[in-house]
Amino acid sequence: IDMIISDNVALSGGGLNSDREDQSKLSSTLIYNNSSYWGGGIYSYQSDIEFMDVIIDQNSSKYGGGVYLKENSPKMDRITISNNQSINSGGGIYLWNSGINLINSILIDNVSYDAGGAISLMNDNNHNIEFTELSKVTIVGNTAYQKGSSIYIANNTVAENFAYNPKFINLTIANNKKYTTSYDNGCMIYAYQSEPIFTNMIYWGNE
């Protein structure tokens, strides 16, 4: 770890705010114990920032306890997103009209008091999402109190035949927990008006 960003408070991006055409490359960084309304650790809006070897730990927010992405599709490689909390959705990561290329990473022990213990993917307003893929990612020990203990996907677009097909490849999803007793809300994965593609998945011990 070469840099630590900790103990900050902001409206968006408690630890880091990456805005509009930012082409930074963040690496070897610990983002710890920050808080905000959107993106406790990181908030990224229409930027081209890349992340490698970053730990995002013990951050909190209303949306996206660890990371909030809006209208961009960053590459994130060898990322640990752990022990983050969101009041509303996306304990680890919250995507709003965004894509993501998340590889070789782990989402562990994140909590959402609503939906998507590890990650929430939200598409709205017919937004054209270029690329959404999680590959070689471990999702373990996350909790949601309502929908999708590990993954929550919602496509709220009104356009006919508008496909939202996030891809999940070589994932391990284990020991995630949902507290609500409603089976309609999806235990491990919740998908609404979307067609996610799952390839070579391992599931075990989820509730």
Side-chain angles (χ1 to χ4, degrees):
I1 297 297
D2 296 326
M3 178 170 62
I4 297 174
I5 302 172
S6 65
D7 304 308
N8 301 288
V9 178
L11 177 62
S12 57
L16 172 69
N17 188 313
S18 175
D19 200 358
R20 295 183 185 276
E21 301 181 4
D22 179 6
Q23 297 183 347
S24 302
K25 293 184 178 180
L26 188 70
S27 63
S28 300
T29 300
L30 170 64
I31 300 176
Y32 173 78
N33 197 37
N34 304 283
S35 63
S36 72
Y37 190 88
W38 293 291
I42 296 170
Y43 175 90
S44 178
Y45 172 58
Q46 293 184 350
S47 77
D48 295 319
I49 191 169
E50 294 185 9
F51 303 88
M52 180 176 288
D53 297 316
V54 175
I55 299 172
I56 303 165
D57 184 62
Q58 295 188 40
N59 303 282
S60 62
S61 71
K62 185 169 184 178
Y63 296 93
V67 180
Y68 185 107
L69 303 176
K70 182 177 180 182
E71 298 179 13
N72 56 356
S73 300
K75 180 178 180 180
M76 306 182 78
D77 188 4
R78 299 199 298 270
I79 309 299
T80 298
I81 300 175
S82 56
N83 303 300
N84 302 285
Q85 294 188 10
S86 68
I87 295 172
N88 192 295
S89 187
I93 305 174
Y94 184 93
L95 277 67
W96 177 258
N97 295 341
S98 280
I100 189 172
N101 181 12
L102 180 66
I103 59 175
N104 304 314
S105 298
I106 183 168
L107 290 89
I108 182 170
D109 294 339
N110 301 287
V111 176
S112 169
Y113 289 96
D114 185 13
I119 183 169
S120 289
L121 301 89
M122 306 289 293
N123 183 34
D124 205 353
N125 299 324
N126 308 334
H127 193 83
N128 183 21
I129 297 175
E130 295 180 359
F131 186 84
T132 302
E133 182 174 298
L134 279 67
S135 177
K136 298 179 181 178
V137 175
T138 299
I139 300 175
V140 61
N142 302 281
T143 301
Y145 278 72
Q146 293 295 326
K147 303 175 182 178
S149 60
S150 59
I151 300 170
Y152 175 83
I153 307 166
N155 178 24
N156 297 315
T157 182
V158 297
E160 293 184 4
N161 300 320
F162 189 95
Y164 183 41
N165 310 114
K167 297 178 181 179
F168 303 91
I169 304 169
N170 298 325
L171 267 62
T172 297
I173 301 178
N175 292 334
N176 301 284
K177 184 174 183 179
K178 179 175 72 70
Y179 276 102
T180 182
T181 58
S182 172
Y183 291 99
D184 293 337
N185 286 340
C187 293
M188 178 178 59
I189 298 170
Y190 178 94
Y192 172 73
Q193 292 189 166
S194 62
E195 297 179 0
I197 300 169
F198 299 97
T199 306
N200 296 332
M201 307 285 288
I202 297 173
Y203 311 103
W204 55 270
N206 300 284
E207 299 181 15

